[in-house]
Amino acid sequence: MERTTIENIIATSLEEISLLVTEGKCRSRIIMPFYRTKAENEDTIRYSEQELKQIFLNLLCNNTSFFYSVETPSEYVYSFSNSEQPQIKKLKEEDDHYESARFDVSLYNTANPKDLMCHIEFKHENADEKEIGKDLLKLTNEFGNYNKNFFVHYIVRKSNQWITSTFPSVIKMK
């Protein structure tokens, strides 16, 4: 089954971030910065979802005619903190604990915001169960005319060790 243009760009973005993580450079001009450290010889690279999102957006602009928005407000409002189960409704009422959520990137066929194709959420490594749950809830609740949304999560593996707390927080590991 052939992948769609959006899926191809996501796959290429993941290939690019893999090159950036493993070789320190990729075809785009983005680099991973260092964390601010106290010791002179203690350079630690900061990995985040932002680099992956920028690689995706660069590929999108260079290879498609899609329009996009970032940090797109959700159509529905959500309450994640007042109960075991997240709550969803269409409108926010005064003094309730519901808030508009945001999608990392939304794609459109035209420059008209009503011509929504899909939403994409990007994650990197140490996302906890609640954070991932929020994203999945939004993505499964709000669709454009593509009837697909995307959750793109990358995890760095170094020296045959997974450097992440995502697995333990989401998957019960023995």
Side-chain angles (χ1 to χ4, degrees):
M1 180 176 176
E2 188 175 324
R3 288 190 285 209
T4 66
T5 302
I6 297 167
E7 290 162 330
N8 284 333
I9 292 174
I10 290 170
T12 303
S13 299
L14 289 167
E15 291 166 7
E16 287 287 300
I17 201 72
S18 178
L19 284 172
L20 187 57
V21 167
T22 59
E23 298 179 19
K25 60 183 178 182
C26 61
R27 290 179 285 264
S28 73
R29 299 178 56 92
I30 197 162
I31 63 170
M32 295 285 194
F34 289 123
Y35 278 111
R36 181 179 56 248
T37 58
K38 293 181 181 178
E40 270 185 50
N41 297 326
E42 204 177 298
D43 292 334
T44 305
I45 294 175
R46 180 199 51 96
Y47 301 100
S48 79
E49 69 187 54
Q50 298 307 318
E51 288 80 14
L52 178 59
K53 182 165 67 171
Q54 289 303 311
I55 290 169
F56 174 83
L57 292 174
N58 286 337
L59 289 168
L60 183 78
C61 289
N62 291 331
N63 298 302
T64 72
S65 59
F66 293 126
F67 291 82
Y68 69 92
S69 63
V70 295
E71 296 300 318
T72 310
S74 59
E75 180 180 347
Y76 292 87
V77 292
Y78 299 84
S79 177
F80 296 106
S81 59
N82 288 342
S83 69
E84 277 291 310
Q85 290 286 75
Q87 304 295 309
I88 307 167
K89 63 183 183 177
K90 188 73 171 168
L91 299 171
K92 178 176 173 55
E93 297 166 13
E94 196 172 317
D95 295 328
D96 68 17
H97 297 287
Y98 288 75
E99 294 182 15
S100 179
R102 293 195 173 21
F103 293 99
D104 288 339
V105 174
S106 299
L107 301 181
Y108 306 84
N109 275 320
T110 67
N112 182 346
K114 291 183 178 181
D115 197 11
L116 174 67
M117 289 277 303
C118 65
H119 300 292
I120 304 170
E121 285 291 327
F122 294 94
K123 281 287 175 257
H124 168 259
E125 289 195 0
N126 299 323
D128 64 23
E129 182 179 355
K130 188 172 183 180
E131 192 176 335
I132 290 173
K134 288 178 185 181
D135 286 344
L136 294 176
L137 179 64
K138 292 183 304 185
L139 290 169
T140 57
N141 190 51
E142 301 190 28
F143 290 95
N145 59 26
Y146 192 61
N147 291 324
K148 271 189 199 182
N149 287 326
F150 299 91
F151 181 80
V152 184
H153 187 169
Y154 82 99
I155 298 171
V156 175
R157 183 177 176 186
K158 291 194 173 193
S159 305
N160 293 326
Q161 297 270 8
W162 289 103
I163 313 296
T164 181
S165 65
T166 297
F167 286 152
S169 70
V170 177
I171 301 168
K172 302 288 185 228
M173 300 181 80
K174 293 182 179 186

